[in-house]
Structure formats: structure tokens, C-alpha cells
């Protein structure tokens, strides 16, 4: 297996960490403008602990070897530029992009067109739909014809940055239809993101697709984060229990039970293996995700235009 990781920040390090579990010979090429101490330590530790891995730091985003998988885990403002370089200069079979993928819908159009011309499959890392717990929930929901209600509530969870995860999960459960309705009730203030030069908003947004409804709410009144999925007689609550330090799921039929929500450091290697073996990995394609990104841009466009007092061409979220 040959893998290229572009961007070795917090999430890039987790992608790299996943390969410490590789049981076969694996080459990892990594590229970043500046490696943090945390990244350097991970590189050293992984080299020591897994002799199957060969890790090479690139000084330029240039590679003569053919790559099985490229993972681009930079901030959103440079991701289109770097994806173009990979598509045009590096031979690879698959690409996984972090979210928010790009800051404009035009960026999606261009990258989708070029990747199709080069026959490179691109996926977006919204991994909940690929997790066993949500696959099992979907099987149960498919037996019911009622509308779906999905909500995620919490405080300071990054509404702009993370809304795409729940829009993606929502459309994993229901069929996407172009005629959807959007409602917003956002606070009249822009918040600085924890990742410099980017912004966050707080408040409530909702999406109605046919009769199914998605609600996302970032509000200080919520002490704990909670994902609620309900359809007809079935109801699931998925949340993190601080006392037990684990994820729990409660249904309307039984008490809470511990469930497995795998970390990124456990997922990336799995995705890589599945892509090489089957050509798919359970993640949304870039074409699918472009439709979902259009929705989140619509969630926030009016607020950013008003609060930043300028026309929004690039959404300042990552």
C-alpha cells in the first residue's frame, strides 16, 4: 500500500496514526509546510513501533511513484489548490478530502470535472455513515415508512464546521430530494473559530426534505451533546457520558448501553484497505457531498453576509 497524506495538523496526525496498525508493508508519504512537534513525535513513534511502515517527508508536493490513496487534511482555504496539484501532478487511484471540503461551490464543480477526466474517485471524510452503529440503525429504520426526525444539540460544538457531518448522516438515512426547505434562527454575532482566520455561528438551523426533518442547535443551554434519531415507533439517543467516559445509546425499548464510535485513528486504515480491495469505502462521494455542502452554505450565507457586512463569495469556515 502507498499512501500520501497532505497536511499533518491535528486531523492529519490522526490519519497517520491509523497506519500504525498496518500488518503489511506500507509506504506513507507526508507533506506539510511546517511540521509541529506533535507531528514529528508521531512520525518518530510510529517508525519505531511498526516495522511494516516506511515514512517519507516530502519537501515539495511532488511524487514520481503511483499512490493508492491520497488524504488531503489541510484547512479549507487551500484544499482546492492542493487537490488540483494532486490531480494534475501525482498519479493516484483514490482521494479522501477532509471537510468542510471547499469554500465555494465552484470549487466542487471544477474538481469533480477534473477527477472524472482522470478517473480518480474522490470521497469526503464524514465517517458516521460508515460506522457499524449507524449502519445497524439504518437497517431498523428502513422497516418503517414514517418520516425521519434527526437532531443534534449541544453547546459550542462548531455548528458551521460540523454541520456537514449531520447533513451527510441525515441523507444516509433518507433519499435526497432537491426540493427541500431551510429555516434558520442564528445569533446576531460572528464568533472566531479555534482555527484562526475562520468563523463560527451559533443558534439553530433546520432542513425539511419531503416530510423528514433535520435540526441542528448550538446553544449554551445544552449541557451535553445529544444525537436523537426517531422514526415512527423507534427512537435512538446517542451521547457521550462524561462519568463513564464512553459513548452510550438509549432507545425507547431499553436502557442505555455502551456503543463503539471509532476514532479517526481507527478508521483511516480501514478505509484505505476497503478502497484498494473494492473501490469503495462507505464514505460519500465528492459529487454527493457537493449537494450537502450547498445546503450548509445556504444555512449560513445570510448571516455571514449581514454580520461581516459584505457579499460572501468564499465561506470562511473550515
Amino acid at each position: 500500500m502507498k499512501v500520501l497524506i497532505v497536511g499533518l495538523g491535528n486531523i492529519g496526525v490522526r490519519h497517520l496514526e491509523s497506519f500504525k496498525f498496518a500488518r503489511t508493508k506500507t509506504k506513507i508519504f507526508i507533506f506539510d509546510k511546517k511540521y509541529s512537534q506533535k507531528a514529528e513525535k508521531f512520525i518518530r513513534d510510529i517508525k519505531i513501533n511498526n516495522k511494516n511502515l516506511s515514512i517519507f517527508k516530502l519537501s515539495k508536493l511532488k511524487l514520481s511513484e503511483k499512490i493508492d490513496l491520497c488524504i488531503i487534511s489541510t484547512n479549507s482555504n487551500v484544499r482546492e489548490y492542493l487537490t488540483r496539484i494532486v490531480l494534475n501532478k501525482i498519479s493516484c487511484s483514490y482521494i479522501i478530502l477532509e471537510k468542510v471540503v471547499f469554500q465555494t461551490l465552484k470549487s466542487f464543480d471544477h474538481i469533480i470535472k477534473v477527477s472524472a477526466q482522470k478517473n480518480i474517485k474522490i470521497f469526503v471524510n464524514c465517517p458516521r455513515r460508515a460506522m457499524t452503529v449507524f449502519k445497524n440503525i439504518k437497517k431498523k429504520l428502513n422497516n418503517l415508512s414514517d418520516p425521519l426526525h434527526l437532531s443534534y444539540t449541544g453547546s459550542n460544538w462548531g455548528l458551521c464546521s460540523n454541520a456537514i457531518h449531520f447533513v451527510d448522516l441525515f441523507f444516509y438515512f433518507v433519499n435526497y430530494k432537491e426540493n427541500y426547505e431551510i429555516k434558520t434562527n442564528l445569533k446576531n454575532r460572528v464568533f472566531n473559530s479555534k482555527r484562526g482566520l475562520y468563523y463560527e455561528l451559533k443558534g439553530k438551523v433546520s432542513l425539511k426534505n419531503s416530510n423528514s426533518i433535520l435540526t441542528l442547535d448550538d446553544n449554551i443551554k445544552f449541557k451535553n451533546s445529544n444525537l436523537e434519531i426517531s422514526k415512527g415507533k423507534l427512537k435512538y439517543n446517542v451521547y457521550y457520558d462524561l462519568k463513564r467516559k464512553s459513548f452510550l445509546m438509549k432507545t425507547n425499548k431499553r436502557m442505555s448501553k455502551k456503543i463503539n464510535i471509532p476514532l479517526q485513528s481507527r478508521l483511516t486504515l480501514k478505509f484505505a484497505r476497503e478502497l484498494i480491495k473494492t473501490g469503495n469505502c462507505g464514505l460519500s462521494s465528492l459529487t454527493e457531498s457537493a449537494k450537502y455542502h450547498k445546503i450548509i452554505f445556504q444555512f449560513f450565507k445570510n448571516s455571514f453576509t449581514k454580520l461581516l457586512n459584505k457579499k460572501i463569495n468564499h465561506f470562511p469556515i473550515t
Side-chain angles (χ1 to χ4, degrees):
M1 190 190 304
K2 295 180 182 179
V3 178
L4 169 63
I5 300 175
V6 180
L8 214 65
N10 288 335
I11 187 66
V13 163
R14 298 305 169 196
H15 286 300
L16 175 61
E17 183 183 8
S18 188
F19 290 94
K20 75 180 183 181
F21 302 104
R23 295 191 296 270
T24 57
K25 293 292 182 183
T26 303
K27 274 188 177 182
I28 308 286
F29 300 92
I30 53 178
F31 173 77
D32 201 307
K33 276 192 171 182
K34 186 178 180 181
Y35 296 91
S36 66
Q37 289 184 345
K38 181 179 179 181
E40 294 282 11
K41 183 179 186 302
F42 262 99
I43 294 169
R44 290 193 301 269
D45 291 347
I46 290 174
K47 279 183 176 180
I48 293 170
N49 294 323
N50 191 335
K51 301 303 181 184
N52 289 318
L53 293 184
S54 301
I55 301 177
F56 305 90
K57 290 166 62 177
L58 304 178
S59 58
K60 294 181 180 180
L61 190 49
K62 188 176 180 181
L63 199 59
S64 58
E65 293 190 51
K66 180 175 173 59
I67 298 300
D68 295 301
L69 170 64
C70 175
I71 300 164
I72 302 180
S73 51
T74 61
N75 288 337
S76 59
N77 64 330
V78 295
R79 195 172 292 121
E80 181 193 0
Y81 168 72
L82 294 169
T83 305
R84 286 185 187 220
I85 293 177
V86 171
L87 287 171
N88 291 320
K89 295 186 177 181
I90 295 175
S91 177
C92 70
S93 300
Y94 307 102
I95 297 175
I96 293 177
L97 300 175
E98 274 301 329
K99 58 78 215 164
V100 168
V101 177
F102 306 125
Q103 293 186 334
T104 72
L105 293 175
K106 287 183 178 179
S107 299
F108 284 90
D109 295 337
H110 176 79
I111 297 300
I112 289 169
K113 181 179 178 180
V114 175
S115 62
Q117 290 170 348
K118 294 182 176 291
N119 196 30
I120 297 173
K121 289 185 178 182
I122 303 183
F123 300 88
V124 175
N125 191 35
C126 292
R128 283 171 178 78
R129 62 167 55 217
M131 295 178 184
T132 300
V133 59
F134 295 112
K135 288 181 179 181
N136 290 338
I137 289 175
K138 182 174 182 176
K139 288 178 184 177
K140 299 285 187 180
L141 298 177
N142 284 346
N143 295 324
L144 301 171
S145 58
D146 307 83
L148 174 81
H149 293 264
L150 188 152
S151 70
Y152 186 77
T153 57
S155 174
N156 199 33
W157 57 270
L159 177 64
C160 292
S161 178
N162 291 309
I164 187 62
H165 281 298
F166 301 102
V167 174
D168 183 90
L169 183 63
F170 179 71
F171 285 116
Y172 173 62
F173 292 133
V174 303
N175 293 325
Y176 171 87
K177 291 187 178 179
E178 185 67 37
N179 296 324
Y180 50 78
E181 298 175 27
I182 285 175
K183 292 183 180 180
T184 64
N185 184 16
L186 296 165
K187 294 189 180 299
N188 194 33
R189 177 186 167 187
V190 169
F191 297 83
N192 290 323
S193 168
K194 60 183 179 181
R195 298 185 181 97
L197 302 180
Y198 301 97
Y199 297 105
E200 271 294 343
L201 298 170
K202 297 184 187 298
K204 186 175 182 179
V205 297
S206 64
L207 167 71
K208 185 176 181 181
N209 189 79
S210 293
N211 290 320
S212 293
I213 297 173
L214 167 70
T215 303
L216 303 175
D217 200 348
D218 187 335
N219 194 305
I220 196 170
K221 69 180 181 181
F222 298 112
K223 292 183 179 180
N224 299 306
S225 297
N226 180 57
L227 173 64
E228 183 178 298
I229 304 163
S230 62
K231 191 177 186 183
K233 62 184 179 181
L234 278 180
K235 182 177 180 180
Y236 299 89
N237 287 88
V238 179
Y239 59 97
Y240 188 75
D241 186 272
L242 291 172
K243 290 183 179 179
R244 295 171 66 174
K245 301 294 181 184
S246 60
F247 283 98
L248 302 180
M249 182 169 71
K250 181 170 65 175
T251 74
N252 51 342
K253 292 184 178 180
R254 59 180 180 268
M255 298 298 290
S256 302
K257 70 170 184 176
K258 187 176 179 180
I259 58 171
N260 179 35
I261 302 286
L263 298 172
Q264 190 64 56
S265 56
R266 288 285 183 172
L267 288 171
T268 309
L269 177 59
K270 173 179 175 287
F271 293 153
R273 286 171 173 163
E274 289 176 354
L275 284 170
I276 292 169
K277 186 176 180 180
T278 70
N280 210 329
C281 63
L283 297 174
S284 295
S285 69
L286 183 61
T287 301
E288 286 180 273
S289 194
K291 296 184 291 188
Y292 309 155
H293 276 76
K294 180 181 178 181
I295 290 170
I296 66 164
F297 289 166
Q298 287 177 274
F299 278 158
F300 307 125
K301 181 175 182 178
N302 289 340
S303 289
F304 276 129
T305 299
K306 177 184 174 182
L307 296 172
L308 297 178
N309 196 28
K310 63 180 180 180
K311 185 177 178 180
I312 297 297
N313 294 315
H314 292 74
F315 284 84
I317 57 179
T318 192

